[in-house]
Amino acid sequence: MKIQETDQSRLSEINFDKLPFGEIFTDHMLLCHYKDGAWKEPEIRPYGELPFYPGLQALHYGQSIFEGMKAFKNEEDHIFLFRPEENYKRLNRSAVRMCMPELPKEVFMNGLEQLLRIDHKWIPKGEGKSLYIRPFMFASGNFIIARPGKEYLFAIICCPTGSYYSGEVRVKIEENYARSGPGGTGFAKAAGNYAASFYPAKLAVEEGYSQLIWTDAATHTHIEESGTMNIMFHIGDKLITPNLSEKILAGITRDSVIKLAKHMNIVVEERQVSVAEIIDALEKGTLKEAFGVGTAVTVSPISLIGKGNKKYELPKSTNSLAITLKNALEDIKKAKTADPFGWRKEIII
Ligand code: COI
């Protein structure tokens, strides 16, 4: 791997007590080009601009995918990744769906580890803080024929970060627009899935919400995801979440929370969740909590759910399952507790 380190680190300019999400980038990035049917030697170089022609294929047809993952530093300065293999596998599942070449494992894993070694001083310490890692791949060729590209760029960039959402999360059940459909790309982390969600989300923000609850495209009667997260409900003594399908992103946090909850002897149901059932539980007062789960947010409690003109405030939980699960997950990530699932991967600097 070619490595060119910067002699002008920006580290000392950063206020680590005030970290916005996704706006501050570390000193270096990893790049790996695909050309003539093969992945080339990866390189690490200073974070900076990439040259491109206006014919850059990803700009025209959206052949672009990404991942989200985090590195953590604990009080003893040990550095950990959380289930990185799952991100690697999901990147390649997205690549196959978007007709892009799969990435060799060593490019992803060795490239990421090497990048973390070089930029390890950027990993923030403290509650809720981490280094958000953004691996991504796009069609980088210079042509505008509507067919899969022949050239691609895989890259990894990183941002030191605090929490993703600030304040309470108020969500509206979406009954018009859809995030995904049968046979579509909902399960893939395709850039276009997010672009298509911005307009309905903007309408919801104009109504005073923070995000949407996505429902099935055909009938809008079943819940799928929320915003950029998977969604879970605490009803009675059970944890209930929509089952995975081609329409739903297989969240790594989702999977981890489910395994953790089962480990705590909580009954978990992965199944179809109807809007009617959630409204009924809200009206009867059996819905104790609703929360989003995702890499960026980890676990994000929902304070209000809206449907049409009706708004339902969720009860203020004194004994929150969401927070218990969030803390248990954070403790595993930062090696404060045992890791019965083998999820942590320590990076030795
Ligand atoms: C993540 O949670 O890592 C995601 O990829 C969502 C993104 C919109 C921040």
Side-chain angles (χ1 to χ4, degrees), residues 27-77:
D27 281 329
H28 298 89
M29 60 186 178
L30 176 112
L31 302 178
C32 186
H33 289 273
Y34 178 92
K35 213 176 167 177
D36 303 325
W39 287 100
K40 308 295 172 199
E41 188 188 355
E43 60 167 321
I44 289 178
R45 62 155 118 139
Y47 182 87
E49 293 179 5
L50 294 173
F52 68 86
Y53 289 104
L56 183 95
Q57 216 229 356
L59 294 181
H60 298 268
Y61 304 117
Q63 228 189 341
S64 182
I65 56 174
F66 69 95
E67 273 302 314
M69 54 200 301
K70 281 177 173 172
F72 302 89
K73 191 183 272 176
N74 68 8
E75 289 311 313
E76 293 77 41
D77 285 336

Side-chain angles (χ1 to χ4, degrees), residues 21 66-69 90 132 134 164 189 194 228 294-297:
F21 182 87
F66 69 95
E67 273 302 314
M69 54 200 301
R90 192 172 60 186
Y132 185 78
R134 171 53 58 86
Y164 188 75
K189 258 181 118 56
Y194 295 77
T228 60
T295 299
V297 298

